[in-house]
Amino acid sequence: MRPLALIRRCYRRVVSQSGSQAAAFFQEISQKNTIWYVRDDQGSPAPETSSGARAMPYWSSQARAQRAADIWGAGLRPVSVSLEKWRSKDLADLAEEGYRVGIN
C-alpha cells in the first residue's frame, strides 16, 4: 500500500471512531438529560491540549466518568449536572474562559 493511501485509511478510521464516540455521547445525554464530569475537593482536572488550550472533559454516563476517576486517581469522583444547566450555563462559562470541551 502506498504511504498516502495508508494515511488516508488510518485517518478515516480515527475520524469514524471519534464520530461514533460523539454520536454515542449526544444520544446518551439526550436520553438521560444528564452530563458527568469528575472532580475532587479542589476542582476538576482540565488537561492541556496539544494546541495549549485547556479542555474540560465530560462523559455521558456515571460509569464512564467513574472509569476516568479510577484511572486518574487522586480522590476524583464523578459528579452529574443537568443537560439544561450544562447547555445554558456551563458551556457558555467554558467558552468565555477559552476552554475546549472533551467528550467521552
Side-chain angles (χ1 to χ4, degrees):
M1 184 174 288
R2 295 178 14 212
L4 187 55
L6 181 59
I7 290 169
R8 284 185 183 142
R9 185 174 171 195
C10 290
Y11 176 75
R12 279 193 296 263
R13 187 173 302 139
V14 169
V15 169
S16 65
Q17 223 173 12
S18 63
S20 66
Q21 284 291 327
F25 176 84
F26 290 111
Q27 182 177 16
E28 288 179 28
I29 66 170
S30 67
Q31 290 172 348
K32 298 176 184 175
N33 289 315
T34 304
I35 307 290
W36 293 86
Y37 62 100
V38 297
R39 66 165 292 129
D40 62 15
D41 292 337
Q42 297 170 352
S44 297
E48 190 172 306
T49 66
S50 59
S51 68
R54 294 281 175 190
M56 179 66 181
Y58 290 95
W59 292 270
S60 57
S61 71
Q62 182 177 11
R64 290 177 189 264
Q66 184 63 59
R67 267 194 303 275
D70 292 344
I71 291 168
W72 292 342
L76 293 171
R77 63 189 177 279
V79 178
S80 66
V81 63
S82 73
L83 177 58
E84 181 58 36
K85 180 183 179 294
W86 186 68
R87 287 174 49 191
S88 65
K89 179 161 179 15
D90 295 350
L91 289 178
D93 291 347
L94 290 170
E96 186 176 302
E97 295 174 21
Y99 281 72
R100 295 186 177 203
V101 174
I103 57 174
N104 278 357

XYZ file of all heavy atoms in Angstrom:
820
model
N 0.857 -1.181 0.000
C 0.000 0.000 0.000
C 0.897 1.238 0.000
O 1.876 1.307 0.730
C -0.911 -0.016 1.224
C -1.903 1.111 1.254
S -3.096 0.996 2.616
C -4.096 -0.354 2.052
N 0.522 2.223 -0.788
C 1.283 3.463 -0.863
C 1.092 4.264 0.420
O 0.032 4.219 1.043
C 0.844 4.243 -2.088
C 1.202 3.461 -3.344
C 0.811 4.043 -4.655
N 0.395 5.413 -4.720
C -0.500 5.836 -5.603
N -1.043 5.017 -6.447
N -0.826 7.108 -5.644
N 2.122 5.035 0.828
C 2.040 5.772 2.104
C 0.834 6.690 2.214
O 0.184 6.736 3.249
C 3.354 6.561 2.133
C 4.284 5.794 1.273
C 3.430 5.166 0.210
N 0.507 7.416 1.154
C -0.623 8.336 1.212
C -1.932 7.583 1.407
O -2.793 7.990 2.185
C -0.680 9.206 -0.049
C -1.720 10.316 -0.042
C -1.542 11.214 1.171
C -1.628 11.130 -1.315
N -2.080 6.446 0.735
C -3.293 5.636 0.889
C -3.405 5.103 2.314
O -4.496 5.054 2.888
C -3.289 4.485 -0.115
N -2.279 4.715 2.895
C -2.283 4.218 4.269
C -2.690 5.323 5.240
O -3.491 5.109 6.151
C -0.898 3.675 4.628
C -0.748 3.097 6.033
C -1.713 1.938 6.243
C 0.684 2.638 6.249
N -2.161 6.525 5.028
C -2.529 7.661 5.888
C -4.020 7.943 5.786
O -4.700 8.133 6.791
C -1.702 8.910 5.520
C -0.249 8.692 5.932
C -2.273 10.162 6.173
C 0.709 9.722 5.387
N -4.550 7.963 4.571
C -5.996 8.211 4.392
C -6.827 7.148 5.088
O -7.830 7.444 5.728
C -6.338 8.256 2.906
C -5.919 9.520 2.237
C -6.385 9.539 0.805
N -5.911 10.737 0.149
C -5.493 10.775 -1.102
N -5.485 9.686 -1.840
N -5.082 11.902 -1.622
N -6.415 5.891 4.954
C -7.156 4.795 5.573
C -7.156 4.943 7.100
O -8.190 4.787 7.751
C -6.527 3.476 5.150
C -7.256 2.271 5.624
C -6.637 1.050 5.034
N -7.178 -0.126 5.636
C -6.657 -1.312 5.539
N -5.554 -1.489 4.843
N -7.201 -2.336 6.123
N -5.985 5.234 7.683
C -5.904 5.423 9.138
C -6.711 6.637 9.575
O -7.387 6.606 10.594
C -4.448 5.579 9.563
S -3.500 4.062 9.406
N -6.652 7.715 8.795
C -7.394 8.934 9.128
C -8.894 8.650 9.149
O -9.590 9.040 10.070
C -7.076 10.037 8.118
C -7.875 11.302 8.338
C -7.559 12.158 9.380
C -8.952 11.614 7.529
C -8.298 13.315 9.602
C -9.685 12.758 7.732
C -9.356 13.603 8.768
O -10.088 14.738 8.982
N -9.394 7.943 8.137
C -10.833 7.626 8.105
C -11.229 6.804 9.317
O -12.278 6.987 9.897
C -11.185 6.899 6.814
C -11.359 7.803 5.634
C -12.003 7.068 4.481
N -11.156 5.993 4.004
C -10.337 6.075 2.962
N -10.251 7.183 2.280
N -9.614 5.043 2.592
N -10.368 5.876 9.715
C -10.673 5.029 10.870
C -10.751 5.877 12.141
O -11.654 5.731 12.941
C -9.614 3.939 11.022
C -9.969 2.932 12.094
C -9.020 1.751 12.147
N -8.991 1.060 10.878
C -7.882 0.585 10.323
N -6.717 0.724 10.915
N -7.931 -0.057 9.181
N -9.794 6.793 12.327
C -9.794 7.653 13.510
C -11.008 8.569 13.508
O -11.694 8.717 14.513
C -8.481 8.472 13.593
C -8.589 9.548 14.646
C -7.309 7.550 13.887
N -11.298 9.189 12.366
C -12.443 10.097 12.277
C -13.735 9.342 12.543
O -14.587 9.806 13.285
C -12.473 10.812 10.911
C -13.779 11.543 10.712
C -11.300 11.766 10.805
N -13.897 8.155 11.970
C -15.140 7.424 12.190
C -15.248 6.969 13.631
O -16.327 6.929 14.196
C -15.260 6.239 11.230
O -14.259 5.287 11.495
N -14.108 6.638 14.271
C -14.134 6.253 15.669
C -14.546 7.443 16.540
O -15.397 7.314 17.408
C -12.739 5.777 16.086
C -12.742 4.561 16.930
C -11.327 4.057 17.170
O -10.346 4.725 16.897
N -11.242 2.879 17.693
N -13.969 8.611 16.295
C -14.342 9.773 17.094
C -15.770 10.184 16.798
O -16.482 10.623 17.689
C -13.371 10.938 16.858
O -13.425 11.365 15.521
N -16.193 10.020 15.551
C -17.576 10.329 15.192
C -18.560 9.419 15.906
O -19.602 9.871 16.382
N -18.223 8.146 16.018
C -19.129 7.218 16.705
C -19.151 7.509 18.209
O -20.196 7.379 18.848
C -18.744 5.760 16.435
O -17.495 5.448 17.002
N -18.004 7.928 18.777
C -17.978 8.319 20.190
C -18.852 9.551 20.424
O -19.592 9.620 21.391
C -16.542 8.619 20.640
C -15.706 7.398 20.862
C -16.163 6.600 22.066
O -16.651 7.139 23.055
N -16.019 5.300 21.986
N -18.756 10.513 19.520
C -19.579 11.724 19.648
C -21.054 11.385 19.525
O -21.881 11.887 20.285
C -19.171 12.755 18.604
N -21.387 10.530 18.571
C -22.791 10.137 18.384
C -23.323 9.459 19.640
O -24.439 9.750 20.089
C -22.928 9.219 17.170
N -22.515 8.561 20.226
C -22.942 7.872 21.454
C -23.121 8.868 22.588
O -24.097 8.795 23.343
C -21.913 6.805 21.840
N -22.199 9.822 22.708
C -22.282 10.831 23.759
C -23.593 11.611 23.654
O -24.351 11.700 24.619
C -21.084 11.784 23.652
C -21.134 12.925 24.627
C -20.681 12.761 25.924
C -21.619 14.163 24.251
C -20.712 13.820 26.835
C -21.647 15.228 25.144
C -21.204 15.047 26.441
N -23.864 12.162 22.486
C -25.057 13.001 22.336
C -26.349 12.203 22.447
O -27.341 12.698 22.991
C -24.987 13.799 21.040
C -23.936 14.868 21.091
C -22.793 14.784 20.322
C -24.069 15.951 21.947
C -21.805 15.762 20.399
C -23.089 16.927 22.040
C -21.960 16.829 21.255
N -26.343 10.975 21.990
C -27.537 10.138 22.132
C -27.810 9.843 23.607
O -28.942 9.978 24.077
C -27.370 8.831 21.360
C -28.601 7.946 21.436
C -28.449 6.687 20.613
O -27.343 6.316 20.218
N -29.550 6.034 20.335
N -26.767 9.475 24.346
C -26.948 9.144 25.757
C -27.368 10.357 26.588
O -28.255 10.243 27.434
C -25.665 8.534 26.329
C -25.400 7.133 25.830
C -24.113 6.541 26.374
O -23.686 6.911 27.489
O -23.529 5.692 25.679
N -26.752 11.512 26.363
C -27.120 12.669 27.187
C -28.522 13.161 26.866
O -29.214 13.665 27.734
C -26.092 13.823 27.112
C -26.033 14.441 25.721
C -24.729 13.360 27.580
C -25.222 15.729 25.642
N -28.940 13.004 25.619
C -30.302 13.446 25.286
C -31.348 12.508 25.887
O -32.438 12.943 26.225
C -30.480 13.561 23.770
O -30.404 12.300 23.161
N -31.008 11.249 26.062
C -31.933 10.302 26.675
C -31.997 10.467 28.189
O -33.058 10.357 28.789
C -31.521 8.864 26.343
C -31.732 8.494 24.909
C -31.126 7.135 24.561
O -30.362 6.565 25.331
N -31.466 6.636 23.392
N -30.837 10.741 28.804
C -30.768 10.798 30.266
C -30.865 12.210 30.833
O -31.026 12.388 32.038
C -29.464 10.157 30.738
C -29.363 8.693 30.361
C -28.016 8.136 30.751
C -27.880 6.697 30.290
N -26.534 6.187 30.549
N -30.705 13.223 29.977
C -30.720 14.628 30.408
C -29.692 14.917 31.502
O -29.912 15.767 32.368
C -32.119 15.047 30.876
C -33.072 15.144 29.726
O -32.742 15.709 28.689
N -34.254 14.568 29.878
N -28.576 14.187 31.454
C -27.534 14.326 32.465
C -26.160 14.239 31.812
O -25.952 13.440 30.913
C -27.646 13.212 33.534
O -28.958 13.253 34.095
C -26.633 13.368 34.635
N -25.227 15.055 32.296
C -23.827 15.035 31.871
C -22.995 14.724 33.109
O -23.358 15.129 34.224
C -23.383 16.433 31.345
C -24.315 16.959 30.284
C -21.943 16.415 30.870
C -24.252 16.241 28.990
N -21.867 14.077 32.929
C -20.994 13.726 34.042
C -19.607 14.319 33.849
O -19.113 14.415 32.736
C -20.887 12.209 34.171
C -22.176 11.587 34.584
C -23.204 11.199 33.768
C -22.605 11.321 35.906
N -24.239 10.705 34.516
C -23.891 10.761 35.839
C -22.013 11.496 37.166
C -24.597 10.373 36.966
C -22.707 11.107 38.288
C -23.994 10.549 38.187
N -18.992 14.732 34.947
C -17.602 15.165 34.945
C -16.967 14.636 36.222
O -17.650 14.020 37.044
C -17.472 16.687 34.821
C -18.076 17.488 35.942
C -17.277 18.008 36.952
C -19.445 17.743 36.000
C -17.830 18.761 37.981
C -19.995 18.492 37.025
C -19.186 18.990 38.017
O -19.729 19.728 39.034
N -15.671 14.816 36.385
C -15.005 14.353 37.600
C -14.393 15.541 38.325
O -14.030 16.547 37.706
C -13.930 13.268 37.317
C -14.569 12.025 36.734
C -12.834 13.796 36.403
N -14.317 15.415 39.635
C -13.731 16.480 40.449
C -13.252 15.898 41.772
O -13.615 14.783 42.143
C -14.713 17.616 40.688
C -15.925 17.264 41.532
C -16.683 18.474 42.049
N -15.869 19.169 43.016
C -15.606 20.490 42.998
N -16.128 21.242 42.083
N -14.849 21.049 43.917
N -12.464 16.682 42.472
C -12.098 16.383 43.853
C -12.462 17.615 44.676
O -13.181 18.494 44.184
C -10.625 15.985 43.984
C -9.662 17.081 43.560
O -10.075 18.260 43.427
O -8.479 16.772 43.353
N -11.976 17.707 45.882
C -12.339 18.835 46.741
C -11.796 20.174 46.239
O -12.267 21.230 46.647
C -11.863 18.595 48.171
C -12.617 17.450 48.832
O -13.745 17.144 48.382
O -12.082 16.853 49.784
N -10.806 20.128 45.354
C -10.200 21.361 44.849
C -10.681 21.745 43.449
O -10.317 22.801 42.946
C -8.683 21.227 44.866
C -8.169 21.041 46.273
C -6.706 20.658 46.307
O -6.098 20.378 45.289
N -6.138 20.651 47.490
N -11.475 20.909 42.811
C -11.982 21.239 41.482
C -11.852 20.090 40.505
O -11.645 18.949 40.900
N -11.967 20.429 39.232
C -11.936 19.437 38.165
C -10.653 19.562 37.349
O -10.187 20.670 37.101
C -13.119 19.648 37.218
O -14.326 19.456 37.894
N -10.115 18.418 36.899
C -8.950 18.492 36.038
C -9.353 19.011 34.657
O -10.422 18.695 34.155
C -8.465 17.042 35.956
C -9.682 16.220 36.232
C -10.537 17.041 37.157
N -8.506 19.835 34.093
C -8.721 20.356 32.738
C -7.391 20.239 32.007
O -6.598 21.172 31.978
C -9.215 21.793 32.777
N -7.125 19.060 31.426
C -5.832 18.821 30.789
C -5.554 19.802 29.650
O -6.471 20.312 29.009
C -5.950 17.403 30.240
C -7.146 16.808 30.881
C -8.018 17.929 31.329
N -4.276 20.042 29.426
C -3.860 20.911 28.328
C -3.862 20.112 27.031
O -3.370 18.990 26.978
C -2.456 21.445 28.610
C -2.035 22.543 27.669
C -0.726 23.177 28.089
O -0.612 23.619 29.245
O 0.181 23.210 27.248
N -4.433 20.687 25.979
C -4.467 20.034 24.672
C -3.155 20.282 23.940
O -2.323 21.073 24.377
C -5.631 20.562 23.815
O -5.375 21.934 23.507
C -6.967 20.431 24.542
N -2.984 19.636 22.798
C -1.757 19.811 22.014
C -1.606 21.251 21.522
O -0.499 21.708 21.265
C -1.740 18.844 20.827
O -2.858 19.056 20.008
N -2.717 21.978 21.426
C -2.650 23.375 20.981
C -2.369 24.339 22.143
O -2.226 25.534 21.934
C -3.958 23.780 20.305
O -5.008 23.811 21.259
N -2.312 23.807 23.358
C -2.043 24.643 24.522
C -3.286 25.106 25.251
O -3.194 25.671 26.336
N -4.454 24.885 24.675
C -5.708 25.252 25.336
C -6.053 24.195 26.386
O -5.607 23.056 26.306
C -6.835 25.348 24.315
N -6.844 24.566 27.356
C -7.337 23.611 28.352
C -8.644 23.013 27.860
O -9.427 23.675 27.172
C -7.572 24.311 29.692
C -6.324 24.810 30.344
C -5.617 23.672 31.019
N -4.348 24.109 31.568
C -3.444 23.275 32.040
N -3.684 21.988 32.032
N -2.319 23.722 32.522
N -8.879 21.764 28.228
C -10.112 21.083 27.843
C -10.776 20.507 29.086
O -10.128 19.861 29.905
C -9.830 19.969 26.845
N -12.049 20.755 29.210
C -12.838 20.210 30.316
C -13.496 18.932 29.818
O -14.300 18.970 28.879
C -13.891 21.230 30.756
C -14.767 20.768 31.869
S -13.850 20.555 33.403
C -15.175 19.995 34.448
N -13.159 17.777 30.411
C -13.735 16.520 29.947
C -15.120 16.234 30.554
O -15.351 16.499 31.732
C -12.715 15.472 30.406
C -12.041 16.096 31.587
C -12.095 17.586 31.382
N -15.995 15.712 29.709
C -17.347 15.317 30.134
C -17.649 13.919 29.607
O -17.129 13.508 28.574
C -18.406 16.284 29.586
C -18.355 17.639 30.218
C -17.652 18.674 29.622
C -19.013 17.897 31.417
C -17.605 19.937 30.204
C -18.969 19.149 32.006
C -18.261 20.159 31.390
O -18.205 21.405 31.965
N -18.522 13.221 30.326
C -18.916 11.875 29.934
C -20.436 11.763 29.926
O -21.137 12.503 30.604
C -18.334 10.850 30.914
C -16.851 10.777 30.801
C -16.128 9.952 29.975
C -15.889 11.551 31.509
N -14.794 10.192 30.131
C -14.604 11.170 31.069
C -15.981 12.559 32.477
C -13.440 11.733 31.549
C -14.821 13.123 32.958
C -13.572 12.707 32.499
N -20.906 10.786 29.169
C -22.344 10.599 29.006
C -22.944 9.648 30.036
O -24.156 9.463 30.057
C -22.640 10.077 27.598
O -21.938 8.864 27.365
N -22.116 9.052 30.872
C -22.651 8.159 31.909
C -21.763 8.203 33.147
O -20.573 8.539 33.072
C -22.734 6.714 31.393
O -21.434 6.158 31.263
N -22.353 7.837 34.251
C -21.605 7.777 35.500
C -20.496 6.732 35.402
O -19.385 6.947 35.903
C -22.539 7.459 36.668
C -21.831 7.442 38.002
C -22.778 7.190 39.167
O -23.935 6.821 38.985
N -22.280 7.378 40.374
N -20.789 5.618 34.755
C -19.784 4.552 34.634
C -18.557 5.031 33.867
O -17.420 4.746 34.249
C -20.404 3.336 33.942
N -18.761 5.790 32.787
C -17.625 6.320 32.017
C -16.821 7.308 32.860
O -15.597 7.287 32.850
C -18.119 7.003 30.751
C -18.678 6.072 29.705
C -19.199 6.893 28.519
N -19.940 6.135 27.567
C -19.438 5.606 26.454
N -18.170 5.760 26.170
N -20.212 4.935 25.624
N -17.504 8.178 33.575
C -16.818 9.149 34.425
C -16.082 8.437 35.560
O -14.963 8.828 35.915
C -17.809 10.168 34.975
N -16.677 7.393 36.102
C -16.028 6.637 37.180
C -14.750 5.975 36.675
O -13.741 5.954 37.387
C -16.979 5.583 37.763
C -16.402 4.832 38.951
C -16.124 5.752 40.124
O -17.026 6.406 40.631
N -14.866 5.829 40.568
N -14.776 5.446 35.452
C -13.557 4.845 34.879
C -12.436 5.869 34.805
O -11.285 5.590 35.133
C -13.843 4.266 33.491
C -14.218 2.808 33.515
C -14.164 2.163 32.143
N -15.005 2.799 31.137
C -16.284 2.539 30.942
N -16.893 1.645 31.693
N -16.958 3.155 30.006
N -12.764 7.077 34.345
C -11.757 8.142 34.267
C -11.239 8.490 35.659
O -10.030 8.648 35.858
C -12.340 9.371 33.595
N -12.139 8.596 36.633
C -11.727 8.913 38.008
C -10.803 7.826 38.549
O -9.808 8.129 39.214
C -12.963 9.072 38.902
N -11.118 6.574 38.263
C -10.274 5.467 38.724
C -8.892 5.515 38.083
O -7.892 5.262 38.744
C -10.938 4.120 38.423
C -12.195 3.877 39.242
O -12.408 4.575 40.256
O -12.978 2.989 38.851
N -8.835 5.858 36.805
C -7.557 5.935 36.096
C -6.732 7.112 36.597
O -5.546 6.987 36.866
C -7.787 6.034 34.575
C -8.335 4.706 34.049
C -6.507 6.425 33.841
C -8.861 4.769 32.617
N -7.359 8.275 36.708
C -6.645 9.481 37.111
C -6.367 9.518 38.609
O -5.438 10.175 39.044
C -7.409 10.731 36.692
C -7.458 10.938 35.211
C -6.657 10.367 34.270
C -8.351 11.781 34.506
N -7.003 10.807 33.023
C -8.040 11.668 33.129
C -9.394 12.609 34.886
C -8.722 12.377 32.151
C -10.076 13.305 33.904
C -9.743 13.186 32.547
N -7.201 8.839 39.392
C -6.987 8.752 40.833
C -7.087 10.080 41.555
O -7.886 10.944 41.197
N -6.270 10.227 42.585
C -6.159 11.469 43.357
C -7.480 11.938 43.955
O -7.753 13.127 44.025
C -5.540 12.570 42.502
N -8.330 11.000 44.372
C -9.566 11.385 45.037
C -10.661 11.913 44.125
O -11.630 12.499 44.611
N -10.520 11.721 42.824
C -11.564 12.198 41.904
C -12.817 11.345 42.027
O -12.750 10.143 42.287
C -11.054 12.165 40.462
C -9.938 13.148 40.142
C -9.376 12.871 38.754
C -10.438 14.579 40.241
N -13.958 11.992 41.832
C -15.245 11.300 41.893
C -16.151 11.849 40.797
O -16.043 13.022 40.418
C -15.879 11.467 43.262
C -16.193 12.914 43.594
C -16.624 13.099 45.051
N -16.856 14.494 45.364
C -15.914 15.383 45.666
N -14.639 15.017 45.680
N -16.218 16.631 45.945
N -17.064 11.026 40.284
C -17.999 11.517 39.263
C -19.060 12.421 39.874
O -19.524 12.192 40.992
C -18.640 10.251 38.705
C -18.154 9.119 39.506
C -17.193 9.614 40.528
N -19.410 13.456 39.122
C -20.430 14.418 39.535
C -21.337 14.661 38.333
O -20.866 14.783 37.203
C -19.784 15.752 39.985
C -20.839 16.765 40.363
C -18.807 15.524 41.122
N -22.632 14.747 38.584
C -23.569 14.968 37.485
C -24.044 16.416 37.446
O -24.017 17.124 38.449
C -24.782 14.040 37.618
O -25.542 14.378 38.759
N -24.468 16.822 36.260
C -25.080 18.130 36.052
C -26.200 17.921 35.033
O -26.093 17.074 34.145
C -24.044 19.179 35.581
C -23.455 18.821 34.229
C -24.633 20.567 35.545
N -27.277 18.669 35.178
C -28.386 18.511 34.238
C -27.973 18.989 32.844
O -27.148 19.905 32.712
C -29.613 19.291 34.704
O -29.400 20.683 34.527
N -28.546 18.388 31.851
C -28.279 18.790 30.470
C -28.643 20.256 30.268
O -27.902 21.002 29.617
C -29.067 17.902 29.500
C -28.951 18.223 28.021
C -27.506 18.178 27.547
C -29.820 17.261 27.215
N -29.727 20.694 30.858
C -30.166 22.085 30.715
C -29.137 23.061 31.286
O -28.784 24.051 30.639
C -31.520 22.284 31.386
C -32.061 23.693 31.271
C -32.228 24.180 29.835
O -32.583 23.374 28.960
O -31.968 25.377 29.586
N -28.637 22.792 32.486
C -27.632 23.674 33.091
C -26.340 23.654 32.278
O -25.714 24.692 32.060
C -27.354 23.277 34.533
C -26.305 24.179 35.199
C -25.983 23.711 36.610
C -24.929 24.558 37.275
N -23.605 24.473 36.667
N -25.937 22.469 31.836
C -24.715 22.339 31.048
C -24.807 23.179 29.778
O -23.896 23.912 29.450
C -24.477 20.860 30.720
C -23.186 20.548 30.043
C -21.938 20.637 30.577
C -23.017 20.059 28.711
N -21.006 20.233 29.658
C -21.640 19.872 28.502
C -23.900 19.753 27.677
C -21.114 19.397 27.306
C -23.382 19.276 26.481
C -22.011 19.110 26.302
N -25.959 23.075 29.100
C -26.137 23.817 27.843
C -26.282 25.314 28.077
O -25.725 26.114 27.338
C -27.360 23.285 27.100
C -27.114 21.925 26.483
C -28.338 21.331 25.876
N -29.037 22.256 25.012
C -30.242 22.052 24.536
N -30.889 20.961 24.841
N -30.813 22.928 23.758
N -27.023 25.696 29.097
C -27.341 27.117 29.271
C -26.266 27.895 30.039
O -26.114 29.090 29.818
C -28.688 27.274 29.975
O -28.623 26.758 31.288
N -25.521 27.236 30.916
C -24.552 27.955 31.742
C -23.118 27.465 31.576
O -22.229 28.236 31.260
C -24.956 27.876 33.215
C -23.953 28.584 34.116
C -24.488 28.921 35.450
C -23.530 29.591 36.384
N -22.320 30.144 35.890
N -22.907 26.181 31.809
C -21.543 25.652 31.854
C -20.790 25.833 30.539
O -19.627 26.249 30.542
C -21.544 24.176 32.255
C -22.057 23.951 33.671
O -22.233 24.939 34.413
O -22.296 22.786 34.032
N -21.421 25.519 29.419
C -20.740 25.668 28.131
C -20.395 27.127 27.846
O -19.307 27.425 27.342
C -21.586 25.090 26.991
C -21.698 23.568 26.965
C -22.598 23.140 25.812
C -20.339 22.901 26.865
N -21.293 28.032 28.190
C -21.020 29.460 27.992
C -19.846 29.916 28.858
O -18.971 30.661 28.390
C -22.268 30.281 28.306
N -19.802 29.461 30.109
C -18.693 29.811 31.002
C -17.364 29.284 30.465
O -16.354 29.987 30.489
C -18.930 29.262 32.414
C -20.064 29.960 33.148
O -20.512 31.036 32.678
O -20.506 29.426 34.185
N -17.375 28.046 29.985
C -16.148 27.459 29.440
C -15.668 28.229 28.213
O -14.476 28.500 28.063
C -16.368 25.988 29.088
C -16.541 25.045 30.277
C -17.003 23.681 29.814
C -15.260 24.934 31.086
N -16.596 28.586 27.330
C -16.237 29.341 26.122
C -15.651 30.697 26.491
O -14.643 31.127 25.921
C -17.458 29.506 25.227
N -16.251 31.336 27.468
C -15.780 32.647 27.909
C -14.352 32.567 28.463
O -13.554 33.481 28.283
C -16.731 33.206 28.971
C -16.421 34.618 29.392
C -17.461 35.133 30.379
O -18.657 35.139 30.027
O -17.060 35.510 31.495
N -14.040 31.453 29.120
C -12.714 31.273 29.707
C -11.711 30.653 28.731
O -10.559 30.421 29.097
C -12.826 30.412 30.969
C -13.627 31.106 32.071
C -13.870 30.187 33.263
O -13.138 29.202 33.450
O -14.823 30.467 34.015
N -12.143 30.349 27.504
C -11.242 29.818 26.497
C -10.990 28.325 26.580
O -10.030 27.819 26.000
N -11.844 27.606 27.292
C -11.692 26.160 27.415
C -12.316 25.454 26.213
O -13.285 25.927 25.628
C -12.393 25.640 28.664
C -11.627 25.843 29.937
C -11.475 27.104 30.495
C -11.046 24.761 30.596
C -10.772 27.291 31.667
C -10.341 24.946 31.784
C -10.207 26.214 32.302
O -9.528 26.398 33.469
N -11.776 24.305 25.911
C -12.402 23.392 24.952
C -13.168 22.354 25.758
O -13.000 22.249 26.960
C -11.336 22.720 24.094
C -10.629 23.732 23.233
C -9.692 23.095 22.307
N -9.113 24.147 21.466
C -8.610 23.926 20.311
N -8.578 22.721 19.817
N -8.101 24.916 19.615
N -13.995 21.587 25.063
C -14.797 20.558 25.726
C -14.421 19.207 25.140
O -14.404 19.028 23.929
C -16.310 20.827 25.518
C -17.143 19.685 26.064
C -16.696 22.132 26.185
N -14.094 18.263 26.039
C -13.821 16.894 25.631
C -15.003 16.031 25.994
O -15.633 16.239 27.033
N -15.335 15.071 25.125
C -16.473 14.195 25.403
C -16.067 12.732 25.350
O -15.257 12.330 24.530
C -17.651 14.456 24.434
C -17.239 14.305 22.988
C -18.220 15.852 24.679
C -18.387 14.403 22.010
N -16.675 11.973 26.273
C -16.443 10.529 26.416
C -14.986 10.177 26.223
O -14.594 9.242 25.654
C -17.322 9.723 25.476
C -18.709 9.535 26.050
O -19.017 9.939 27.149
N -19.568 8.938 25.280
